[in-house]
């Protein structure tokens, strides 16, 4: 495992982790009272690790087993189990951890104050704060991937189109026009996608250059942070754009081996 950011930060303490098949970073939006975060890792054997801020028990995952997917939001960790049910630990003041009745879930996403689940039939469910309409996803169909940001939710359909709900400043109009999208990610106020040709698209706030990704090519995966964006190229090189105040874009020496 490798990390970029403040070296001494507890959420970067993953150097001893091994057999990890997926990771998730908590805390989408950066604000004066949300500066701390946590990191979650899914092992190949279906168990889960977590380090970092644990003020609401968001790192209490040691007893989880049979996990096939993970997501992390502000003070919250979610997991999808092999039977399609979902578990949550951490803050539930906004109802974002009220996922115990969900079933047939194949993918999950955690925003700051809301959680999103993708069902096997391509429909979407959401729980938590709906202050900007980020949970208005009940009419979505034929979805194959979901992402959740600070105040918005994004989904990719089977035909490569993108749905978006929530705060319009996150690129809603532009995002709806994207085509042939394969993957999508949501930051605080921006949305990023990669298409089937390896090109990257971004819309929304660009206060730190987090949307300056149009020159990227041969990208196979993207991730949007609060005010920065990462892209994984097919050759294992990690690209970065945006805010680097804490060294979160210092990825030039990374060489990721794809499975």
């Amino acid at each position: 495992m490798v990390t970029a950011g403040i070296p001494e930060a507890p959420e970067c303490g993953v150097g001893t982790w091994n057999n990890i098949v997926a990771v998730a970073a908590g805390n989408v939006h950066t604000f004066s009272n949300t500066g701390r975060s946590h990191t979650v890792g899914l092992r190949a054997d279906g168990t889960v690790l977590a380090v970092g801020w644990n003020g609401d028990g968001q790192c209490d995952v040691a007893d989880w087993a049979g996990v096939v997917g993970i997501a992390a939001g502000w003070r919250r960790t979610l997991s999808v189990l092999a039977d399609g049910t979902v578990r949550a630990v951490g803050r539930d003041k906004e109802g974002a951890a009220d996922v115990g009745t969900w079933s047939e879930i194949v993918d999950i996403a955690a925003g700051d104050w809301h959680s999103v689940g993708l069902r096997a039939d391509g429909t979407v469910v959401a729980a938590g704060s709906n202050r900007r309409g980020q949970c208005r996803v009940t009419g979505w169909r034929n979805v194959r991937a979901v992402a959740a940001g600070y105040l918005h939710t994004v989904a990719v359909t089977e035909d490569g189109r993108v749905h978006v709900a929530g705060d319009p400043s996150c690129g809603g109009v532009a995002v709806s026009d994207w085509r042939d999208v394969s993957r999508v990610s949501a930051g605080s106020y921006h949305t990023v996608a990669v298409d089937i040709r390896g090109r990257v698209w971004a819309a929304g706030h660009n206060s730190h250059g987090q949307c300056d990704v149009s020159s990227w090519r041969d990208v196979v995966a993207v991730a949007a942070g609060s005010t920065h964006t990462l892209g994984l190229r097919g050759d294992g090189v990690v690209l970065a754009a945006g805010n680097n105040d804490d060294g979160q874009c210092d990825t030039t020496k990374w060489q990721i081996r794809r499975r």
Side-chain angles (χ1 to χ4, degrees), residues 239-257:
L239 306 172
N243 187 0
N244 195 36
D245 287 349
D246 293 315
Q248 61 266 49
C249 289
D250 294 341
T251 62
T252 55
K253 295 182 180 180
W254 289 7
Q255 186 74 24
I256 308 298
R257 183 176 61 190

Side-chain angles (χ1 to χ4, degrees), residues 24-25 60 76 81 94 114 120 129 149 166 169 194 199 211 241 256:
D60 295 341
R76 184 176 75 265
L81 304 185
E94 296 78 23
H114 72 296
S129 173
S169 70
V194 58
R199 299 178 303 181
C211 291
I256 308 298

